[in-house]
Amino acid sequence: MPWYDSEAACLVVIIFSDLVFLFSAAGLSVAFEVSAFADYSWVPMLLMTMSGGVIISTTLRLIRRYIRMLRYADSLPPGPRSPRLRH
């Protein structure tokens, strides 16, 4: 597994995407409050949509990986080298 697909890298991507999502939510609220910025509300909306997509896809990737890991651990016979014993 490459380093950019590791659990730590995925968590960092989710955290930074959360920050972008919150930043775009703040920009969207400002765009709706100030009428001069209403024409530019598409920019924070686009950022919010894109970061939300990254958050969802990365979270689904981690969930699928975790489920696959649990299925693999359940298929192994119990023994001293079984990943089930590490939990």
Side-chain angles (χ1 to χ4, degrees):
M1 173 172 37
W3 66 269
Y4 54 83
D5 196 28
S6 67
E7 185 176 340
C10 287
L11 291 174
V12 168
V13 166
I14 290 172
I15 289 170
F16 279 113
S17 295
D18 283 339
L19 293 175
V20 171
F21 191 87
L22 293 174
F23 176 74
S24 61
L28 198 59
S29 70
V30 169
F32 286 141
E33 286 177 7
V34 181
S35 61
F37 298 147
D39 292 339
Y40 302 106
S41 63
W42 64 271
V43 176
M45 186 64 78
L46 180 66
L47 280 175
M48 187 179 287
T49 304
M50 290 170 45
S51 64
V54 169
I55 292 167
I56 290 170
S57 68
T58 308
T59 302
L60 288 176
R61 177 181 298 187
L62 287 177
I63 289 171
R64 275 190 245 126
R65 184 180 301 160
Y66 183 69
I67 290 172
R68 199 175 317 125
M69 183 179 63
L70 287 178
R71 286 184 184 164
Y72 175 74
D74 287 341
S75 69
L76 293 176
R81 295 188 176 173
S82 174
R84 192 182 315 181
L85 295 176
R86 285 188 239 155
H87 295 303

